[in-house]
Amino acid sequence: MLTKAPRGTRDILPEQINKWVYVENKFRDICSRFGFEEIRTPMFEHTELFKRGVGETTDVVEKQMYSFDDNGGRNITLKAEGTAPVARAYVENKLYANPQPVKLFYITPCFRYERPQAGRLRQFHQFGVEIFGTTNPLADAEVIGVAVNLFDELGLENLEVRINSVGCPNCRAAYRKKLKEYLRDKLEILCDTCKGRYDRNPMRILDCKSEICQASVKEAPRMMDYLCDSCVQDFDALKKYLTAMEIEFIVDPDIVRGLDYYTKTAFEIVSSEIGAQGTVCGGGRYDQLVEEIGGPPTTGVGFGLGIERLLLSLEKNETVMEEMHSTDVFIAFLGEESENIAVKLLKDLRYKGIKGQMDLAGRTLKSQFKSADRLNAFFTVVIGEDELKENSVMLKDMESSEQEKVEISKVIEKIESRLK
């Protein structure tokens, strides 16, 4: 057991990390272009944050959170999703006093106890963006634009942007009444979890994954038919902005999202290539969240995107990502005197920002050449007896196999110019 990772977790090995760094850098670059700044929140929060923010009737809170009492008797939960912690940080650090809107993004591990499946783990990783402090639906469109821009630049195909409005407290009351009327005769056949949701939050029943519950709500009334004038205007504005941004979308009245804090806009970006649960990005507006957790009335909108599911989509799409070279230069040497020169040269190369390596295990010169090949180095510098006599090195281009003798004092300059 000591040598096996816990179920639902996995190691990300050096040969896999290139893909992670590639998509992380792409996400950071796009967020920067959109004017978002990075934020990092703790790996655990007070459990009450998720209960009040995410909602006590959600699957996340009811079934999936990793919660425990710490040594001080405080009930703590490993980060289950990214938005509530960012909202807490917004309040605690008084970011509402800054010029609004505040635009933030994050890259973070999250933890949920659920059945592991393709792209879904118990420790997973999430990209997310949040905009606080504006009611303008243009912010909703911009959030969707970040995700679409990311997928476009990664070359992902066969994606659908699906949008819905889940209304606001003003128009949900009438809808909630109609939904409960519809569900009343079906209450006995609902799963036990949904029976408990009937009085507390019947909209959560629409999001249940139970086949029986899904069949029961197939003909249920939809929130879209009960929107107030304000919600209709905002949803029409969102569609107008997405059209102006040349983002194709589908209006899907069945989108509810799995967290209670959503109001008005709810959206998903769905892939047809990663199985039945093909959502690669989901988000929406949460205009009561900041106030619900103890902050001033502040509107917000954002999304969360699972990195594992994104990478799975890229794999299914056969997307080719740029290779990262771990080594620019490998220094091969023969003899103790050559080794001393190699150590000094390697230090100087690294201080110049050049990625360099040398043998650390006392291998033969032939084995060192094999190491240079294995590391996919651009150049190999060879320091042998003949080179020592002439105060020079042999510089070999590993791609063309061309080599030339270069004075030691000029080799770094030569490598820098060749790498450029």
Side-chain angles (χ1 to χ4, degrees), residues 45-68 75-81 84-85 111-114 124 193 197 200-201 204 207 257-261 289 292-293:
E45 299 276 356
H46 294 289
T47 300
E48 189 64 20
L49 173 68
F50 295 110
K51 286 185 175 181
R52 293 182 63 181
V54 174
E56 295 198 42
T57 61
T58 61
D59 283 347
V60 172
V61 171
E62 288 187 330
K63 303 175 182 178
Q64 299 171 354
M65 295 200 311
Y66 280 93
S67 301
F68 58 93
N75 197 245
I76 297 296
T77 294
L78 297 182
K79 187 186 294 184
E81 57 90 40
F111 306 85
R112 294 187 193 175
Y113 188 86
E114 55 183 336
F124 60 100
T193 299
R197 290 170 173 170
R200 292 181 295 163
N201 192 345
R204 288 272 59 80
D207 196 49
R257 301 298 300 148
L259 309 178
D260 278 359
Y261 51 57
L289 175 61
E292 178 64 31
I293 65 171

Side-chain angles (χ1 to χ4, degrees), residues 334-349:
L334 184 63
E336 186 175 340
E337 190 175 350
S338 297
E339 182 181 40
N340 291 335
I341 293 174
V343 168
K344 170 67 165 58
L345 178 58
L346 185 60
K347 185 271 292 185
D348 292 340
L349 284 167

Side-chain angles (χ1 to χ4, degrees), residues 207-236:
D207 196 49
C208 182
K209 300 301 184 287
S210 162
E211 291 183 6
I212 294 176
C213 293
Q214 286 182 354
S216 299
V217 300
K218 198 169 185 180
E219 304 298 326
R222 293 297 185 255
M223 184 71 235
M224 187 71 71
D225 298 324
Y226 293 84
L227 297 179
C228 64
D229 291 343
S230 174
C231 288
V232 170
Q233 290 171 6
D234 284 351
F235 194 59
D236 287 343

Side-chain angles (χ1 to χ4, degrees), residues 129-413:
V129 302
E130 317 292 349
I131 300 179
F132 296 98
T134 175
T135 60
N136 193 332
L138 182 55
D140 306 36
E142 181 157 298
V143 160
I144 295 172
V146 172
V148 171
N149 199 167
L150 174 65
F151 295 143
D152 283 346
E153 293 200 12
L154 289 174
L156 273 179
E157 299 175 348
N158 302 314
L159 296 177
E160 289 181 347
V161 177
R162 300 178 183 176
I163 63 172
N164 188 25
S165 176
V166 294
C168 68
N170 293 331
C171 53
R172 277 188 184 174
Y175 173 67
R176 179 188 173 103
K177 182 178 178 180
K178 286 290 184 182
L179 182 59
K180 290 186 72 173
E181 288 176 2
Y182 171 84
L183 292 170
R184 188 172 294 124
D185 295 338
K186 299 173 174 57
L187 192 57
E188 288 304 313
I189 63 173
L190 297 179
C191 70
D192 290 341
T193 299
C194 286
K195 288 175 182 176
R197 290 170 173 170
Y198 178 78
D199 287 316
R200 292 181 295 163
N201 192 345
M203 282 185 70
R204 288 272 59 80
I205 299 173
L206 301 176
D207 196 49
C208 182
K209 300 301 184 287
S210 162
E211 291 183 6
I212 294 176
C213 293
Q214 286 182 354
S216 299
V217 300
K218 198 169 185 180
E219 304 298 326
R222 293 297 185 255
M223 184 71 235
M224 187 71 71
D225 298 324
Y226 293 84
L227 297 179
C228 64
D229 291 343
S230 174
C231 288
V232 170
Q233 290 171 6
D234 284 351
F235 194 59
D236 287 343
L238 171 63
K239 291 185 284 186
K240 178 190 73 172
Y241 291 132
L242 291 176
T243 300
M245 295 166 68
E246 300 181 327
I247 295 175
E248 295 183 3
F249 60 88
I250 296 170
V251 176
D252 183 351
D254 291 330
I255 293 176
V256 178
R257 301 298 300 148
L259 309 178
D260 278 359
Y261 51 57
Y262 286 114
T263 56
K264 295 192 175 183
T265 300
F267 74 90
E268 293 180 349
I269 300 179
V270 179
S271 167
S272 61
E273 298 180 334
I274 56 173
Q277 297 185 26
T279 302
V280 291
C281 176
R285 181 163 282 280
Y286 45 86
D287 289 347
Q288 277 74 50
L289 175 61
V290 173
E291 187 174 7
E292 178 64 31
I293 65 171
T298 306
T299 58
V301 60
F303 73 69
L305 188 166
I307 300 178
E308 283 84 355
R309 292 182 73 75
L310 173 60
L311 290 171
L312 187 60
S313 295
L314 292 173
E315 182 182 324
K316 297 286 186 181
N317 204 62
E318 298 183 349
T319 302
V320 177
M321 290 182 250
E322 296 174 11
E323 287 290 330
M324 290 193 312
H325 273 264
S326 62
T327 305
D328 295 325
V329 180
F330 187 90
I331 302 179
F333 61 91
L334 184 63
E336 186 175 340
E337 190 175 350
S338 297
E339 182 181 40
N340 291 335
I341 293 174
V343 168
K344 170 67 165 58
L345 178 58
L346 185 60
K347 185 271 292 185
D348 292 340
L349 284 167
R350 288 167 171 169
Y351 271 61
K352 286 286 188 177
I354 297 170
K355 292 177 284 188
Q357 294 201 56
M358 63 181 290
D359 176 57
L360 302 177
R363 295 185 176 92
T364 65
L365 196 58
K366 182 178 179 180
S367 295
Q368 291 179 58
F369 290 146
K370 289 181 179 179
S371 294
D373 283 331
R374 178 177 55 80
L375 292 167
N376 200 23
F378 287 120
F379 299 99
T380 298
V381 170
V382 183
I383 308 174
E385 293 178 357
D386 292 341
E387 287 77 22
L388 273 179
K389 292 175 183 177
E390 299 176 12
N391 201 30
S392 64
V393 302
M394 187 65 70
L395 180 63
K396 181 179 180 180
D397 186 312
M398 298 298 285
E399 184 175 353
S400 66
S401 295
E402 294 179 359
Q403 55 187 33
E404 62 178 310
K405 194 168 286 187
V406 181
E407 291 181 27
I408 289 179
S409 61
K410 297 180 179 179
V411 68
I412 294 179
E413 180 183 348

